[in-house]
């Protein structure tokens, strides 16, 4: 199994961004609730955290975000849980829900900014610039966006024929694999490898037949998902895994959920990390 120690690189990256910005001088004029981890990460990077009053359960980076009140998972929000904090701005992704809660919040007159669930190289800079405009941090957002863009332009992604199967699971009874049109598919392709399954879009339950047919070289999973599934031993015990190259060679890559799927400011780091590991296994 391969785990990535990206803490050093992350620290250098975040420190370099922090040095670009002067300390926040304006008094808080918003009561922001972020219902997405990547949005929360951008808010912290733009030094807007003093205006955050609550976050969702995917907001665990940076660590300070975990000390804020939590309104639950971004797709299972409750109207009362949000309104209790008297927000003046809610911000997240269009996948936030359920729809009834989102409609209730709109009816209550709470401003909402929900970004499209896009998985492109331009996605992080778009989100940064939009959040900067929303909260009067245009200059800082422009610096951050240019920094991200420059890092992406400097990336040297080597293409490979390595086949990667992305598995997502929170418990052993519910295991899914990623087809096209997902953040996982985009990350595999943008980092130079190939998705082992392209016959369908979105996610489908994993079957032993599909696993053997895909015959992946590598299994890719978010760390929290692997933990919920039961760890590495449980992964290799999936029916059919022993007939794949990944299973025979125990090629498993675990990466922080938000870094892997967030399409936030650390996207260049995530792509470089994956591409480096593809080359090692190839």
């Amino acid at each position: 199994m391969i785990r990535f120690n990206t803490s050093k690189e992350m620290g250098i990256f975040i420190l370099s961004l922090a040095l670009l910005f002067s300390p926040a001088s304006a008094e808080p004029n918003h009561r922001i609730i972020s219902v997405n981890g990547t949005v929360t990460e951008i808010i912290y990077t733009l030094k807007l955290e003093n205006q955050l009053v609550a976050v969702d359960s995917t907001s665990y980076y940076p660590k300070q975000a975990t000390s804020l009140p939590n309104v639950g998972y971004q797709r299972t929000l409750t109207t009362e849980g949000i309104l209790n904090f008297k927000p003046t701005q809610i911000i997240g992704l269009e996948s936030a829900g359920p729809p009834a809660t989102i409609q209730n919040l709109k009816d209550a007159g709470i401003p909402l900014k929900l970004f499209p669930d896009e998985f492109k190289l331009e996605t992080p800079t778009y989100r940064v610039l939009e959040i900067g405009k929303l909260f009067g941090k245009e200059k800082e957002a422009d610096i951050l966006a240019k920094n991200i863009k420059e890092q992406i332009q400097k990336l040297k992604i080597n293409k490979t024929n390595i086949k990667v199967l992305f598995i997502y699971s929170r418990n052993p009874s519910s295991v899914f694999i990623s087809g096209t049109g997902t953040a996982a598919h985009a990350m595999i392709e943008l980092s130079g490898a190939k998705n082992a399954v392209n016959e369908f879009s979105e996610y489908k339950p994993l079957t032993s037949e599909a696993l053997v047919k895909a015959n992946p070289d590598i299994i890719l999973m978010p760390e929290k998902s692997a933990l919920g599934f039961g760890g590495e031993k449980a992964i290799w015990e999936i029916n059919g895994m022993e007939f794949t190259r990944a299973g025979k060679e125990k090629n498993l890559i675990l990466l922080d959920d938000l870094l892997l799927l967030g399409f936030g400011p650390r996207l260049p780091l995530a792509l470089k990390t994956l591409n480096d590991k593809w080359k090692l296994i190839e």
Side-chain angles (χ1 to χ4, degrees):
M1 178 181 67
I2 299 172
R3 289 180 183 275
F4 297 123
N5 180 9
T6 54
S7 58
K8 181 178 179 180
E9 290 88 345
M10 288 182 196
I12 294 172
F13 176 60
I14 296 300
L15 178 61
S16 65
L17 292 177
L19 292 174
L20 292 172
F21 304 145
S22 60
S25 56
E27 290 297 321
N29 51 16
H30 289 280
R31 292 181 59 81
I32 306 170
I33 293 182
S34 169
V35 293
N36 176 264
T38 297
V39 167
T40 299
E41 182 177 339
I42 294 172
I43 287 174
Y44 270 88
T45 308
L46 292 178
K47 301 294 184 185
L48 286 161
E49 66 269 23
N50 59 340
Q51 301 184 48
L52 264 178
V53 296
V55 295
D56 80 316
S57 61
T58 69
S59 299
Y60 59 85
Y61 184 89
K63 189 177 180 180
Q64 301 94 294
T66 61
S67 64
L68 290 170
N70 197 297
V71 296
Y73 182 52
Q74 58 182 334
R75 296 177 189 267
T76 57
L77 303 170
T78 65
T79 306
E80 296 77 12
I82 296 287
L83 293 181
N84 283 342
F85 293 99
K86 299 179 172 58
T88 60
Q89 180 69 58
I90 300 168
I91 185 167
L93 303 185
E94 290 180 346
S95 54
T101 296
I102 300 302
Q103 188 58 54
N104 289 340
L105 295 172
K106 290 179 179 177
D107 293 342
I110 308 298
L112 280 90
K113 176 67 175 180
L114 301 177
F115 293 102
D117 290 295
E118 293 181 335
F119 316 118
K120 304 175 182 176
L121 289 175
E122 299 80 14
T123 298
T125 54
Y126 166 71
R127 291 173 176 172
V128 165
L129 292 172
E130 287 296 305
I131 292 174
K133 283 193 291 186
L134 192 62
F135 299 114
K137 287 276 190 176
E138 291 91 343
K139 181 180 178 182
E140 292 86 348
D142 187 57
I143 294 172
L144 176 57
K146 287 181 178 176
N147 185 294
I148 297 169
K149 187 176 181 180
E150 287 174 1
Q151 289 186 68
I152 290 175
Q153 290 173 336
K154 290 178 181 177
L155 282 175
K156 295 180 180 178
I157 299 296
N158 296 313
K159 295 290 185 180
T160 173
N161 288 320
I162 286 283
K163 293 189 298 180
V164 182
L165 183 67
F166 179 86
I167 296 179
Y168 183 86
S169 172
R170 287 300 184 193
N171 60 72
S173 63
S174 179
V175 186
F176 295 88
I177 55 177
S178 171
T180 61
T182 65
H185 175 83
M187 286 299 294
I188 292 169
E189 298 284 327
L190 290 174
S191 62
K194 296 182 181 300
N195 191 348
V197 288
N198 291 284
E199 296 84 5
F200 56 86
S201 60
E202 301 300 327
Y203 291 90
K204 282 192 173 182
L206 173 64
T207 65
S208 57
E209 292 79 10
L211 176 60
V212 173
K213 180 182 178 183
N215 188 22
D217 299 300
I218 301 173
I219 302 298
L220 176 64
M221 291 185 75
E223 286 181 343
K224 293 181 184 297
S225 179
L227 185 64
F229 185 68
E232 182 179 2
K233 185 173 183 296
I235 295 167
W236 300 134
E237 290 176 349
I238 295 174
N239 288 336
M241 188 66 81
E242 69 272 23
F243 299 112
T244 69
R245 182 193 171 192
K248 293 174 183 174
E249 300 180 5
K250 302 293 186 289
N251 291 332
L252 172 65
I253 292 177
L254 304 179
L255 199 60
D256 175 81
D257 301 41
L258 199 55
L259 177 64
L260 176 59
L261 304 174
F263 277 77
R266 293 175 293 159
L267 177 63
L269 173 62
L271 293 176
K272 182 181 185 306
T273 302
L274 290 176
N275 188 244
D276 287 346
K277 297 307 173 185
W278 303 154
K279 287 184 287 186
L280 286 177
I281 293 176
E282 188 177 31

